[in-house]
Amino acid sequence: MTETTAPFEPQPLGDRYFQDPLRVFARMREQSPVTSVITPEGQRAWLITRYEDVRKALADPRLSKDWRKLRSPGFVPDPSVGFLMAHMLNADPPDHTRLRRLVQKAFTPGRVAALRPRIEAITASLLDAMAAGVGSGSGSGSDGVVDLITAFAFPLPMTVICELLGIPDGDREEFKTWSQVILSSTATFDEYRAAGGAMYAYFTRLLADKRAAPADDLLSALITARDSGDSLDEPELLAMIFLLLVAGHETTVNLIATGTLALLTHPSELSRLRADPSLLPGAIEELLRYANPLNHATDRYAPEPLEVGGVIIPAGEPVLVVTSSANRDPARFPDPDRLDLGRDASGHVAFGHGIHYCVGAPLARLEGEIAFGALLSGFPGLSLAVDPAALRWRPSSLIHGLETLPVRLR
Ligand code: HEM
């Protein structure tokens, strides 16, 4: 039978959600699997939480990614933040197809495999610095406690994506701050606009420098595509850089950090992996399923009313497809809250599904494999330096990531 509304009044998502989203989603999945909420940003949105519904929704062409279709004709956002939106994750075909094709070839498994020696070298140098107690930035303390995020989980994917794009180092800490504001659900609009404006100015300068001195990197290739006329306009070029840089590090940071937390709080699984490193590729899939670097996929919209799981979602309201909940759905994964590095976790939706399936998945998998392999073999005594209950999660609706992860190396 089709219901016309969700059974609950929209529930506000707040700090309790940030700190334990999976508990909130588990209740919805059981009691009201398609439900409306008030997001931490104060907006009404619809959440889809069961695995079957999630897979279907991610592949459903009636769910649009192009928010511009909902705006009145002629709506022009402020360029300093508008450029943050003109990327492929906010586009439907044919724009999406064109934008994605421009970068997809840089991320094929073959192209990514060629990056292995460089990723291994970056990993080794970060871990050496961490062990020597100098860390990266403020990651290491004199008491033997290290923030694994500052010293390792952040700089590894950030360095890799910057090198791939051809972005010089030096500005990465600043970029981290802007990116965290853009993805925060509690930043004010002024803070958001200031961070967007700073990124806009930074990328504009970067492009001018790159045009003056092109190199063998992805940014130069994208500029050539744009300047040859028919593929990218200037806002799309800026938005592409923004998307690749943010998507290229914000997620993998959390695979490494939250995945490490999962291992350190499941000592028997950790010992199992240390004893049999051949489990590593499968373990990465299970860590993606279990640790869920993103709470949900990015916004979608139904231009027409849409029935999902017996509930009618009204036209125009944002729809959040909750990939982390799908990955814990007992109807798909038996005993889903158990970390089991030997399980077959294939079919997880941590990288999404359908035409927007993560372009960077081969890179993220390779970074994860190298990072966990080196961390576990290099630090046999690695342990948490705080009670897990004291850890804080970032106040972001989208990103499921720790603020810090203090560990002892020996
Ligand atoms: C563990 C790490 C990662 C996770 C969990 C992840 C997750 C995702 C998910 C769920 C989507 C689809 C979002 C949606 O449908 O709304 C996506 C898309 C995307 N990801 Fe990733 N990602 C990761 C790493 C990366 C990396 C390293 C890159 C490198 C540049 C990247 C680039 C992208 C891009 C460009 C898209 C948009 C694809 C499209 O719209 O067709 N991601 N990612």
Side-chain angles (χ1 to χ4, degrees):
M1 193 185 70
T2 297
E3 298 170 24
T4 50
T5 55
F8 291 146
E9 277 303 296
Q11 304 173 44
L13 298 178
D15 194 58
R16 207 165 60 92
Y17 162 70
F18 298 137
Q19 299 312 317
D20 196 356
L22 287 169
R23 186 194 293 262
V24 174
F25 296 143
R27 190 169 152 264
M28 290 176 183
R29 207 170 47 230
E30 275 170 30
Q31 299 178 3
S32 181
V34 179
T35 199
S36 71
V37 296
I38 305 295
T39 65
E41 293 83 4
Q43 189 183 35
R44 187 175 156 119
W46 291 79
L47 263 49
I48 299 176
T49 51
R50 285 192 180 157
Y51 183 87
E52 277 307 319
D53 292 338
V54 161
R55 288 274 291 200
K56 273 192 210 141
L58 289 173
D60 190 335
R62 292 171 302 167
L63 270 175
S64 168
K65 297 286 292 139
D66 191 346
W67 58 276
R68 288 163 300 192
K69 289 180 183 161
L70 301 173
R71 299 282 180 170
S72 52
F75 169 78
V76 183
D78 180 333
S80 65
V81 289
F83 90 97
L84 301 171
M85 298 169 174
H87 54 68
M88 73 182 97
L89 258 180
N90 287 332
D92 294 331
D95 281 342
H96 170 262
T97 321
R98 173 176 58 87
L99 294 169
R100 185 169 167 121
R101 203 171 34 223
L102 281 165
V103 289
Q104 191 151 25
K105 55 182 181 298
F107 294 97
T108 59
R111 286 289 285 275
V112 165
L115 301 174
R116 178 181 279 276
R118 182 63 195 137
I119 300 175
E120 285 174 343
I122 297 167
T123 301
S125 92
L126 288 169
L127 293 180
D128 285 352
M130 191 169 84
V134 290
S136 162
S138 57
S140 301
S142 52
D143 54 357
V145 175
V146 171
D147 172 20
L148 194 79
I149 296 183
T150 309
F152 183 53
F154 167 74
L156 172 59
M158 188 62 168
T159 307
V160 171
I161 193 69
C162 283
E163 287 193 2
L164 198 69
L165 282 163
I167 295 180
D169 49 14
D171 308 323
R172 291 175 194 171
E173 279 302 317
E174 225 178 351
F175 191 84
K176 181 183 180 185
T177 312
W178 299 331
S179 176
Q180 291 197 343
V181 171
I182 300 280
L183 293 171
S184 164
S185 297
T186 51
T188 63
F189 185 68
D190 283 348
E191 287 166 338
Y192 178 82
R193 196 165 43 195
M199 277 196 193
Y200 184 75
Y202 174 68
F203 289 144
T204 306
R205 216 172 44 243
L206 189 66
L207 285 180
D209 292 349
K210 203 47 96 177
R211 278 194 169 104
D216 181 18
D217 54 41
L218 188 51
L219 210 52
S220 303
L222 289 169
I223 290 172
T224 309
R226 187 261 172 284
D227 290 353
S228 67
D230 61 354
S231 299
L232 283 167
D233 62 25
E234 193 77 6
E236 285 174 340
L237 178 57
L238 287 164
M240 178 77 92
I241 305 168
F242 163 73
L243 175 66
L244 293 174
L245 200 46
V246 171
H249 84 278
E250 280 285 4
T251 44
T252 315
V253 172
N254 303 317
L255 168 61
I256 298 171
T258 317
T260 302
L261 173 65
L263 292 174
L264 295 179
T265 50
H266 293 80
S268 57
E269 289 303 295
L270 177 57
S271 308
R272 191 178 170 196
L273 184 56
R274 285 191 193 281
D276 181 3
S278 74
L279 286 177
L280 195 53
I284 300 296
E285 299 310 307
E286 172 67 348
L287 289 172
L288 282 160
R289 181 195 74 82
Y290 186 88
N292 283 303
L294 295 179
N295 286 320
H296 51 71
T298 51
D299 294 15
R300 285 166 166 74
Y301 305 89
E304 304 294 330
L306 181 70
E307 188 258 308
V308 180
V311 174
I312 303 289
I313 297 181
E317 294 196 1
V319 177
L320 299 176
V321 183
V322 188
T323 46
S324 68
S325 170
N327 285 343
R328 297 291 187 103
D329 187 341
R332 175 61 180 81
F333 298 102
D335 202 359
D337 295 329
R338 192 161 67 86
L339 179 73
D340 173 1
L341 299 182
R343 86 158 76 214
D344 176 7
S346 60
H348 72 72
V349 284
F351 288 125
H353 176 61
I355 63 167
H356 292 277
Y357 181 83
C358 179
V359 166
L363 178 59
R365 287 188 162 114
L366 182 63
E367 288 179 349
E369 211 182 303
I370 293 171
F372 283 107
L375 187 65
L376 298 186
S377 63
F379 300 92
L382 190 72
S383 64
L384 265 184
V386 293
D387 177 348
L391 292 168
R392 295 283 301 170
W393 298 84
R394 283 171 53 185
S396 169
S397 176
L398 177 66
I399 301 283
H400 182 57
L402 290 161
E403 289 188 334
T404 59
L405 182 60
V407 293
R408 281 184 206 286
L409 300 182
R410 48 185 85 83

